[in-house]
């Protein structure tokens, strides 16, 4: 096929030898199948900011830090240089997230680098060597749904342990090869500790995945993996070895406001008494 304009520099530099076909076009990128020497890979071409239809991008970028102070200031001011740097940061975020979650034990495509807004990465294939289907195109037995759902929940746990929430996880962002689910599309991954929307995004990620697998195993719809994970994460008890149960009991005990106020008043009076005793002791000295 004709070489897309954005991929041409990679061809000129010898990173890509041939563009075979377009695989898909999404809200933030278009993905092509390319040949790099003797290997077939993916080339994910990120769309320019004014052409992306990804909504509420600012929510996903909250908490992302730049190590370069000049770059950070420019990004905050929104100058042309700053916008370019912000765009580059958006693209590099996926590469960073892929390496981070892979190290945490999550199955994701292996990245080979991001060049001028084009991410080269591993092509996930099925047993026959064809492009692996997305989860939304896969029909399975009840037993398989329960097994794969448990595996994806473990991946979500491992991402959270690594400080990352996918942020856009659904049956459209999971591929299925002969070994099971593979998580894809992480440019919007958020910092679990620095983004105020992280909890809500985790809840939505888990709900999306559970709803899909729940078509084949309805009992999964009663699980509360997201609530269980986040509670353990907030308390500092979530680890890679945590065995999730999918059970979580909401705290239904209402706060006794009047009692809390009385405790605050008592603490205030105790502090006043302490300060008075110090003052009196100083006068004696």
């Amino acid at each position: 096929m004709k070489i897309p304009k954005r991929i041409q520099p990679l061809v000129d530099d010898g990173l890509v030898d041939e563009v075979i076909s377009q695989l898909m076009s999404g809200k933030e990128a278009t993905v092509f199948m390319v040949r790099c020497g003797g290997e077939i890979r993916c080339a994910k071409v990120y769309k320019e900011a004014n052409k992306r239809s990804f909504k509420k991008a600012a929510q996903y970028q909250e908490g992302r830090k730049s190590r370069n102070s000049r770059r950070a200031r420019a990004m905050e001011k929104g100058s042309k240089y700053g916008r370019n740097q912000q765009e580059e940061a958006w693209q590099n975020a996926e590469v960073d997230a892929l390496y981070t979650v892979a190290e945490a034990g999550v199955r994701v495509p292996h990245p080979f680098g991001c060049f001028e807004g084009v991410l080269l990465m591993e092509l996930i294939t099925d047993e026959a060597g064809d492009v692996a289907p997305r989860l939304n195109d896969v029909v399975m037995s009840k037993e398989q749904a329960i097994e794969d759902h448990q595996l994806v929940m473990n991946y979500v746990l491992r991402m959270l342990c690594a400080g990352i929430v996918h942020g856009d996880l659904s049956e459209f962002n999971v591929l299925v090869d002969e070994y099971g689910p593979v998580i894809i599309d992480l440019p919007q991954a958020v910092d679990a500790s620095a983004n105020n929307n992280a909890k809500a995004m985790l809840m939505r990620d888990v709900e999306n995945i559970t709803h899909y697998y729940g078509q084949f195993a309805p009992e999964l719809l009663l699980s509360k993996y997201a609530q269980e994970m986040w509670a353990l994460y907030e308390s500092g008890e979530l680890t890679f070895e945590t065995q999730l149960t999918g059970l979580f009991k909401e705290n239904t005990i209402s706060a006794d406001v009047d009692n809390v106020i009385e405790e605050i008043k008592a603490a205030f009076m105790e502090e006043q008494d302490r300060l008075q005793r110090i003052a009196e002791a100083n006068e004696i000295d």
Side-chain angles (χ1 to χ4, degrees), residues 63-265:
R64 292 183 181 176
K65 304 293 184 181
S66 174
R67 296 186 182 91
N68 185 302
S69 58
R70 175 173 175 262
R71 181 182 303 168
R73 288 194 299 272
M75 290 167 66
E76 290 176 0
K77 292 179 179 179
S79 64
K80 182 178 180 181
Y81 170 76
R83 290 194 299 272
N84 290 336
Q85 291 302 307
Q86 192 168 45
E87 190 65 14
E88 183 179 337
W90 173 266
Q91 297 160 6
N92 288 333
E94 180 160 25
V95 181
D96 294 340
L98 286 170
Y99 280 119
T100 299
V101 301
E103 188 174 347
V106 179
R107 289 195 68 213
V108 293
H110 178 76
F112 297 104
C114 192
F115 312 90
E116 301 296 330
V118 180
L119 171 60
L120 284 179
M121 59 184 171
E122 174 189 7
L123 176 68
I124 305 299
T125 59
D126 61 16
E127 193 173 2
D130 298 321
V131 177
R134 292 189 296 186
L135 178 59
N136 71 298
D137 293 322
V138 177
V139 177
M140 64 196 78
S141 66
K142 174 181 177 179
E143 293 72 22
Q144 190 65 57
I146 292 174
E147 180 181 337
D148 284 3
H149 178 266
Q150 184 67 43
L151 184 55
V152 176
M153 291 303 100
N154 184 256
Y155 287 161
V156 174
L157 176 151
R158 289 180 171 275
M159 285 191 280
L160 188 55
C161 284
I164 287 178
V165 173
H166 186 288
D168 194 34
L169 190 60
S170 72
E171 64 271 26
F172 301 101
N173 289 331
V174 178
L175 299 180
V176 183
D177 66 7
E178 60 182 306
Y179 301 106
V182 180
I183 308 297
I184 63 171
D185 291 342
L186 287 99
Q188 69 294 313
V190 302
D191 186 321
S193 64
N195 191 303
N196 291 320
N197 305 293
K199 180 180 179 180
M201 291 179 184
L202 178 77
M203 298 292 174
R204 186 180 62 201
D205 284 353
V206 172
E207 180 182 352
N208 288 340
I209 291 298
T210 300
H211 182 266
Y212 187 80
Y213 283 115
Q215 297 177 82
F216 310 104
E219 59 265 42
L220 292 174
L221 299 174
L222 300 175
S223 63
K224 296 182 180 296
Y225 284 98
Q227 294 90 328
E228 180 185 12
M229 272 187 266
W230 191 261
L232 291 170
Y233 174 73
E234 277 194 317
S235 64
E237 299 175 18
L238 190 71
T239 70
F240 291 113
E241 288 72 39
T242 297
Q243 297 295 315
L244 297 174
T245 65
L247 304 175
F248 181 75
K249 187 176 181 180
E250 301 283 353
N251 184 4
T252 57
I253 301 175
S254 299
D256 187 338
V257 178
D258 290 337
N259 186 55
V260 171
I261 292 175
E262 288 303 319
E263 289 183 0
I264 293 174
K265 287 181 178 179

Side-chain angles (χ1 to χ4, degrees), residues 252-284:
T252 57
I253 301 175
S254 299
D256 187 338
V257 178
D258 290 337
N259 186 55
V260 171
I261 292 175
E262 288 303 319
E263 289 183 0
I264 293 174
K265 287 181 178 179
F268 177 78
M269 293 303 294
E270 287 179 6
E271 178 64 6
Q272 293 301 307
D273 289 342
R274 186 183 71 84
L275 294 175
Q276 181 64 31
R277 288 195 299 271
I278 293 173
E280 291 175 353
N282 289 335
E283 289 178 359
I284 293 173

Side-chain angles (χ1 to χ4, degrees), residues 1 11 16-20 33-36:
M1 65 173 288
V11 174
V16 171
D17 295 297
E18 178 188 3
V19 179
I20 300 172
M33 183 190 300
V34 299
R35 182 175 61 82
C36 303

